[in-house]
């Protein structure tokens, strides 16, 4: 197996964190060869070529969408490429999109909301790439879930666009103060606040504002256990990308143990247990990921359900 990461360049610190996280799941360097991409598309192409030269049976990485496209073009389908990007368009290159995607989080929270009786949702977007993709995912799920979705974009400093009749729920797809403002405005209105993992905020003031909201995110217990191990053995707090690298190494180890380290083995496995949520790989390059539905409380986030995101 090969792990393609930016060990030099602008994202070197992130790449090193991911390398160390992967080493927690696969400590044998001979079994998980780490190759530097430099954080660029040409570097990723060169790293992919080197992985093929070394006869890697599977490639995990690279990090960004541009790097993933370059690596996939170089590999040309000879071995699976499981990229860490969350850009769904990368699946068209033949690489798998392993990152936590807007569609996964949006699908998970809307499926849960529908199971709780929600039939109409207003989606609040802030025009960021994540928010725009989440809004598009929500609208695409209307027919499948039997839910009415109206999307509006909130522009800082501008009046809030009219949303029509009060919905059963509001889905805030952004992050930061925009989500917190929506949470405060919905208090005591009877309208349920929904949010994607971008809304996670561990500040006491944010936890208070978000209390009662349903948020789709990796299970806090599993992520907390990984985080504690990382802090104890590596030092510092890991982010979601470090967790993805840890999960990738675990997937590779599992497939190798079953002598299925290839595309067929990847697709035949119904579910891989991951810190970022149990994952199933699809032939079209996408992944189905189980996410927790978490609710904020004074001590942090607590999981109340599990929902599979598209």
């Amino acid at each position: 197996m090969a792990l393609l990461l930016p060990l030099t360049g602008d994202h070197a610190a992130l790449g090193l964190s991911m390398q160390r996280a992967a080493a927690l799941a696969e400590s044998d360097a001979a079994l998980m060869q780490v190759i530097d991409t430099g954080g660029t598309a040409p570097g990723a192409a060169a790293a992919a070529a080197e992985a093929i030269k070394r006869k890697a049976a599977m490639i995990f990485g690279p990090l960004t969408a541009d790097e993933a496209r370059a690596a996939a073009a170089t590999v040309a389908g000879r071995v699976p490429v499981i990229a860490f990007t969350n850009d769904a368009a990368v699946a068209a290159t033949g690489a798998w999109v392993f990152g936590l995607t807007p569609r996964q989080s949006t699908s998970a929270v809307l499926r849960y909301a529908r199971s709780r009786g929600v039939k109409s949702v207003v989606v609040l977007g802030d025009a960021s790439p994540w928010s725009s993709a989440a809004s598009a995912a929500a609208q695409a799920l209307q027919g499948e879930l039997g839910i009415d979705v109206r999307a509006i974009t909130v522009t800082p400093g501008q009046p809030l666009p009219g949303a029509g009749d009060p919905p059963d729920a509001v889905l805030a797809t952004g992050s930061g103060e925009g989500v917190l403002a929506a949470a405060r405005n919905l208090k005591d209105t009877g309208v349920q606040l929904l949010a994607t993992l971008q809304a996670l905020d561990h500040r006491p003031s944010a936890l208070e504002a978000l209390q009662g909201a349903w948020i789709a995110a990796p299970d806090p217990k599993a992520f907390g256990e990984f985080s504690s191990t990382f802090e104890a053995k590596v030092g510092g707090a890991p982010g979601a990308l470090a967790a993805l690298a840890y999960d990738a190494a675990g997937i590779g180890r599992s497939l190798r143990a079953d002598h299925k380290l290839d595309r067929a083995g990847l697709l035949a496995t119904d579910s891989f247990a991951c810190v970022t949520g149990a994952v199933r790989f699809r032939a079209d390059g996408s992944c189905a990921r189980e996410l927790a539905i978490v609710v904020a409380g004074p001590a942090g986030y607590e999981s109340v359900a599990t929902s599979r995101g598209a």
Side-chain angles (χ1 to χ4, degrees):
M1 299 180 290
L3 182 63
L4 275 52
L5 294 173
L7 302 179
T8 56
D10 293 342
H11 301 298
L14 176 57
L16 181 59
S17 176
M18 295 176 73
Q19 178 184 9
R20 289 172 172 170
L24 295 177
E26 180 55 86
S27 59
D28 192 332
L31 298 176
M32 178 65 81
Q33 303 177 69
V34 183
I35 306 174
D36 182 23
T37 67
T40 68
E50 179 63 20
I52 294 296
K53 181 179 178 181
R54 297 185 191 182
K55 302 187 183 306
M58 189 170 288
I59 293 174
F60 295 99
L63 179 59
T64 68
D66 286 344
E67 290 177 272
R69 291 185 180 94
T74 300
V75 171
R78 285 174 284 182
V79 299
V81 176
I82 302 168
F84 296 118
T85 178
N86 65 9
D87 185 343
V90 168
T93 68
W96 271 275
V97 178
F98 189 54
L100 291 152
T101 70
R103 183 175 178 85
Q104 288 170 350
S105 193
T106 300
S107 173
V109 75
L110 286 182
R111 290 176 193 280
Y112 176 72
R114 187 67 187 89
S115 75
R116 295 291 300 272
V118 169
K119 296 181 179 179
S120 61
V121 177
V122 166
V123 181
L124 293 182
D126 61 11
S128 66
W130 175 282
S131 180
S132 297
S135 180
Q139 293 176 81
L141 287 165
Q142 289 187 86
E144 179 184 344
L145 299 184
I147 198 166
D148 178 66
V149 173
R150 289 170 284 161
I152 60 177
T153 300
V154 179
T155 304
Q158 298 298 316
L160 187 67
D165 295 333
D168 295 332
V170 167
L171 170 59
T173 58
S175 61
E177 291 306 317
V179 173
L180 298 182
R184 296 184 185 104
N185 289 336
L186 291 175
K187 291 292 185 185
D188 302 319
T189 65
V191 177
Q192 177 65 46
L193 178 64
L194 314 175
T196 67
L197 61 90
Q198 295 290 89
L200 292 180
D201 190 327
H202 293 271
R203 295 175 299 168
S205 59
L207 291 172
E208 181 180 1
L210 292 169
Q211 192 165 3
W214 299 338
I215 305 172
D219 180 72
K221 181 180 179 181
F223 196 94
E225 291 173 352
F226 160 70
S227 182
S228 296
T229 300
F230 186 95
E231 290 177 13
K233 296 187 176 181
V234 177
L241 286 168
L244 284 172
Y246 175 84
D247 287 341
I251 288 170
R253 186 186 66 243
S254 173
L255 288 172
R256 187 181 65 251
D258 291 338
H259 306 288
K260 296 179 179 179
L261 195 59
D262 53 24
R263 176 185 173 86
L266 195 68
L267 294 175
T269 304
D270 181 64
S271 182
F272 293 95
C274 293
V275 169
T276 53
V279 167
R280 176 169 57 87
F281 290 85
R282 295 191 180 106
D284 65 0
S286 67
C287 294
R289 178 177 262 114
E290 284 188 358
L291 293 174
I293 303 301
V294 303
V295 177
Y301 294 95
E302 180 182 358
S303 175
V304 296
T306 300
S307 183
R308 171 160 284 188

